[in-house]
Amino acid sequence: MSLHIAFDNSYDRLPDRLFTRQAPVPVAAPGWIALNDGLARELGLDADALRSEEGLAMFSGNAVPEGAAPLAQLYAGHQFGNWNPQLGDGRAILLGEVVGPDGIRRDIALKGSGRTPYSRMGDGRAWIGPVIREYLMSEAMHALGVPTTRALAAVTTGEEVIRETALPGAVLTRVAQSHIRVGTFQILTARGDLEGLRALADHAMARHYPEAGSVPEMLAQMVARQADLIAQWMSLGFIHGVMNTDNCSVAGETIDYGPCAFMDAYHPGRVFSSIDAYGRYAYGNQPQVALWNIAQFATALVPLMPDQQRAVDDFTAIINRFADLYQEAWIARFGAKLGLPDPRPEDRPLIEGLLTAMTGAETDFTNGFRALAEDAPERTGASPEWIARWRARGPDFGIAAAANPVVVPRLHRIEAAITAAMAGDHAPFHEMLGVVTRPFDPDPALAERYVAPPQEHEKVDKTFCGT
């Protein structure tokens, strides 16, 4: 069976200073971990052909399919608030773009595909842990309805990756609406490359904001997408962990699942990232960080405007809409979690009252909110007074059930799947994938194991960037 993919590579037609053309670096002995048949169909690809030896060669970087235009993208970014003037795909290769049956253009990229000019001191490889984590997290987020990059395939390399110790290597194939980041714009502005900046802005508008007739309108639509995205994260107890501007997608998708996690016990100051010493990207700080990132995007766009001083004023007004848009989305999301048929601003004290109670009781975030769907509010840690006020609002348990998942990919279960995969056993990964991609109706025979929060000896307090 011959593998055929109809690539249509628009990013490759941008100024070549935005990337370096480079093929992935081959690996020794690739083997399968997983292929996402459903996503393959969405892309208009033949899953059986992808599962062939040709497909395995493509997903491992051992062969470049006809029509692909492999390249490593250039960008910069603010990392933990500090400016880094040049970053880029240090261990990723964009193979190219496909247009699915739905008419949506998507990137297909390899992560862990070897050194590039942007690797700095890195080896450009990935070990199996980050690959397993991103596959599970991104597919769970998609099942939860959150805009996100997706995982098309994961393969082993037959090679070891040296970190603190020798670890089994792997490659993830990631699908995204694009890999254009805030930092992609920032590097062009920092270099005074107005021609490149204009080309990138036109490309981003055509690809992600076709209804935007101008740069200010693109910014306004991006603000709205980010406000809703962050409200979704917050409503699920999701912590991204490394919200640098180079990890902020202009398309409005969740991208770069490094030190990410879903909370167990609720606390607004919760941090999982091992490198976030001061809690910049704590759960409760995510809306403010998103706003800060949007401001950096707007700053990068200013040189495109004929009257730059007026643009600063206009862009500031657009950015300031984020607060209201986010609050509206937050009320809607959390109101639904409480089962409120018509969430409104006056419900904020009711929502915040529950969150305060959950903080004090160290209530499990997912299970606590799911208890409302099961008419068991006493399991949330809320007081009788709060429960009485909630009942007086007339909650609809169907609405609550639709807004509160039964399962999320908990860290301790991910770590167990990674440990098994390191020993060559992928069964726990596949079992967990089957559960977390049915977050509202998991297999009853498996659900109990994935619903339970970690016991004391199972708790994972720190996560690491996917290096």
Side-chain angles (χ1 to χ4, degrees):
M1 182 176 295
S2 178
L3 175 63
H4 174 72
I5 300 176
F7 286 101
D8 181 16
N9 306 313
S10 63
Y11 200 86
D12 178 66
R13 297 191 284 272
L14 288 172
D16 60 10
R17 53 193 177 275
L18 275 165
F19 51 81
T20 298
R21 290 186 175 88
Q22 177 182 324
V25 180
V27 302
W32 285 106
I33 300 174
L35 175 69
N36 190 335
D37 288 31
L39 178 55
R41 287 191 293 271
E42 289 182 37
L43 297 173
L45 306 179
D46 184 334
D48 290 333
L50 291 177
R51 198 173 281 104
S52 67
E53 288 300 314
E54 289 180 89
L56 181 60
M58 177 184 73
F59 291 131
S60 62
N62 281 9
V64 175
E66 183 180 354
L71 57 86
Q73 293 175 295
L74 174 69
Y75 46 85
H78 281 91
Q79 298 183 305
F80 290 87
N82 299 309
W83 173 244
N84 190 324
Q86 180 171 310
L87 296 165
D89 289 334
R91 58 190 183 94
I93 293 291
L94 172 62
L95 288 180
E97 305 159 26
V98 296
V99 180
D102 55 8
I104 298 175
R105 179 182 297 273
R106 297 179 179 89
D107 286 356
I108 299 179
L110 304 181
K111 288 187 67 177
S113 50
R115 284 183 56 82
T116 78
Y118 315 121
S119 297
R120 292 173 287 175
M121 301 299 292
D123 60 11
R125 293 302 190 187
W127 69 280
I128 200 168
V131 169
I132 292 287
R133 179 179 292 108
E134 179 157 349
Y135 202 119
L136 289 168
M137 292 292 285
S138 62
E139 287 306 298
M141 289 283 270
H142 174 71
L144 289 162
V146 181
T148 179
T149 60
R150 305 275 311 272
L152 177 58
V155 301
T156 56
T157 64
E159 299 175 350
E160 290 185 334
V161 173
I162 305 302
R163 296 297 179 256
E164 291 81 4
T165 185
L167 300 164
V171 178
L172 176 80
T173 301
R174 179 166 69 186
V175 172
Q177 288 192 44
S178 83
H179 287 80
I180 302 171
R181 308 153 189 273
V182 169
T184 317
F185 282 84
Q186 287 182 290
I187 196 166
L188 296 172
T189 301
R191 294 182 175 182
D193 186 351
L194 185 60
E195 178 189 16
L197 185 65
R198 192 174 305 282
L200 180 63
D202 289 345
H203 175 82
M205 277 192 285
R207 188 162 180 177
H208 301 307
Y209 300 97
E211 296 178 0
S214 66
V215 168
E217 182 56 30
M218 176 174 69
L219 176 61
Q221 291 184 25
M222 193 263 201
V223 167
R225 287 190 192 180
Q226 290 292 329
D228 192 59
L229 177 66
I230 304 305
Q232 285 184 275
W233 288 4
M234 301 296 281
S235 74
L236 294 166
F238 175 76
I239 304 170
H240 184 277
V242 62
M243 291 176 67
N244 298 328
T245 58
D246 56 294
N247 295 334
C248 180
S249 165
V250 170
E253 292 183 312
T254 311
I255 191 170
D256 290 323
Y257 290 90
C260 58
F262 285 86
M263 277 191 294
D264 296 313
Y266 174 74
H267 194 287
R270 193 71 173 91
V271 174
F272 283 96
S273 172
S274 64
I275 59 175
D276 193 1
Y278 300 102
R280 176 181 174 87
Y281 300 142
Y283 168 81
N285 289 344
Q286 292 182 132
Q288 292 82 1
V289 174
L291 177 59
W292 193 89
N293 288 348
I294 292 167
Q296 309 318 306
F297 181 53
T299 299
L301 296 173
V302 167
L304 293 173
M305 306 306 293
D307 184 338
Q308 294 189 16
Q309 184 53 57
R310 179 176 177 180
V312 170
D313 296 338
D314 291 345
F315 286 3
T316 299
I318 292 170
I319 293 167
N320 286 342
R321 297 175 195 167
F322 177 88
D324 288 341
L325 290 170
Y326 171 73
Q327 293 302 326
E328 181 180 346
W330 188 90
I331 290 288
R333 298 280 176 185
F334 276 90
K337 291 177 79 67
L338 267 62
L340 307 184
D342 56 341
R344 47 187 186 259
E346 306 90 83
D347 292 315
R348 171 171 287 280
L350 186 67
I351 298 168
E352 290 181 337
L354 177 59
L355 292 172
T356 298
M358 289 174 66
T359 303
E362 298 184 340
T363 304
D364 183 85
F365 187 92
T366 301
N367 291 348
F369 276 104
R370 187 67 193 185
L372 297 180
E374 297 166 0
D375 195 15
E378 65 281 354
R379 301 207 306 261
T380 66
S383 68
E385 292 76 16
W386 184 91
I387 294 172
R389 285 191 293 132
W390 173 67
R391 291 200 184 283
R393 268 295 269 123
D396 183 315
F397 301 117
I399 292 174
N404 292 308
V406 177
V407 294
V408 293
R410 295 179 184 268
L411 272 182
H412 70 295
R413 289 298 172 197
I414 292 175
E415 291 302 316
I418 291 172
T419 298
M422 289 174 65
D425 180 7
H426 301 150
F429 160 75
H430 284 285
E431 178 183 278
M432 184 172 181
L433 182 65
V435 173
V436 301
T437 52
R438 292 176 52 186
F440 297 96
D441 63 336
D443 183 339
L446 300 173
E448 184 176 353
R449 183 156 69 251
Y450 292 91
V451 165
Q455 298 182 31
E456 193 62 34
H457 70 280
E458 296 176 311
K459 289 183 178 178
V460 181
D461 293 323
K462 296 293 181 185
T463 55
F464 300 86
C465 285
T467 54

